[in-house]
Amino acid sequence: MKIMMVFIMNYLKKYKLLLKLLLFFNIATSLNINASEVNLSNFKIENNVDGQELFFEQDISINNNLFQAIQKGIPLKFDINIKVTNFKKFWFNEIIFDDKFSFEIKYRNLLKKYQLRNIEGKYKYFSDIEKLKENINLIKINLGYIVFSEDTLIEVGVTLDSNQLPKPLQINRRNGTWNVSSGTYAMKVKEIN
């Protein structure tokens, strides 16, 4: 046992630089250099007959790996998480809306078209991916009848649901290709309108 430890320690001393380089390249390749991301912008709240509606625009940049996955028929499901919180000065904050919506992109090989299942569950078909992206650019979500205060905070995030991917792709999550997210956009209602 002692001879084995001496051998390992000598090996580590001798190849210290090589091991550091391997560690550096492992970390560098685990970072997502060819990233896909979701950018959110132009938030707006409007009143209508059904209550308040939240509008925002999203721009999903699809990298080559995601595009190839779609072309091979792998459905990509995106979750939209929305949370609305009223802040209280002397008591606990009140969450007045907390819900998740989703839409799904899929390529239908027999039709040679892209299929979109929007947040209402309706299906639409497009001949190319750019037309599909234009169709999911504007998101409209009904928040219902909510009373906003000046300190009401709205948090919005869009994320690729990697749990819905095929199992071999779920195992390879370190790769970063499947970590598509907007992060969480948090803003007060008074900043939106």
Side-chain angles (χ1 to χ4, degrees):
M1 183 71 165
K2 189 173 184 179
I3 296 172
M4 183 71 144
M5 278 302 278
V6 170
F7 174 76
I8 291 172
M9 294 305 289
N10 285 335
Y11 180 82
L12 290 177
K13 285 179 186 176
K14 188 174 180 181
Y15 296 105
K16 189 179 198 178
L17 180 62
L18 179 64
L19 291 171
K20 284 182 181 179
L21 285 173
L22 285 173
L23 180 64
F24 170 75
F25 285 119
N26 188 23
I27 291 171
T29 56
S30 69
L31 296 174
N32 194 4
I33 296 168
N34 189 15
S36 290
E37 60 180 24
V38 182
N39 295 313
L40 307 181
S41 61
N42 298 333
F43 290 89
K44 193 169 41 170
I45 295 176
E46 291 183 0
N47 294 324
N48 69 9
V49 180
D50 298 325
Q52 276 87 6
E53 286 189 326
L54 173 67
F55 294 88
F56 63 90
E57 292 179 10
Q58 65 178 355
D59 179 31
I60 301 175
S61 63
I62 297 176
N63 69 18
N64 194 35
N65 290 338
L66 280 180
F67 183 71
Q68 288 178 359
I70 294 170
Q71 289 295 109
K72 292 178 182 175
I74 296 172
L76 300 181
K77 180 181 171 226
F78 290 86
D79 292 329
I80 303 171
N81 297 302
I82 298 179
K83 184 176 178 182
V84 181
T85 308
N86 271 341
F87 286 96
K88 308 275 185 173
K89 286 186 179 180
F90 302 110
W91 199 247
F92 296 109
N93 297 333
E94 177 187 12
I95 298 173
I96 54 177
F97 186 87
D98 189 6
D99 208 347
K100 183 186 338 184
F101 303 89
S102 64
F103 62 93
E104 185 178 72
I105 300 169
K106 186 176 184 179
Y107 185 69
R108 307 297 287 197
N109 285 325
L110 293 175
L111 297 173
K112 302 284 188 221
K113 291 190 177 191
Y114 296 93
Q115 173 185 294
L116 168 67
R117 183 184 50 79
N118 63 18
I119 60 175
E120 297 158 355
K122 296 178 182 171
Y123 290 93
K124 294 181 180 179
Y125 296 91
F126 303 92
S127 57
D128 69 3
I129 193 105
E130 291 305 318
K131 289 187 179 176
L132 181 139
K133 283 175 64 176
E134 287 172 16
N135 201 275
I136 59 172
N137 185 23
L138 181 65
I139 300 291
K140 176 180 82 170
I141 294 176
N142 190 329
L143 301 175
Y145 296 100
I146 295 178
V147 177
F148 295 120
S149 70
E150 64 179 44
D151 289 331
T152 300
L153 183 73
I154 295 180
E155 298 172 79
V156 180
V158 178
T159 311
L160 174 66
D161 187 357
S162 55
N163 293 327
Q164 300 297 319
L165 294 171
K167 293 296 180 196
L169 298 179
Q170 289 184 29
I171 292 169
N172 195 14
R173 285 189 192 175
R174 270 188 67 204
N175 152 328
T177 301
W178 313 110
N179 298 333
V180 180
S181 174
S182 67
T184 301
Y185 285 66
M187 67 227 89
K188 293 190 175 179
V189 169
K190 63 184 178 184
E191 298 168 354
I192 294 175
N193 290 335

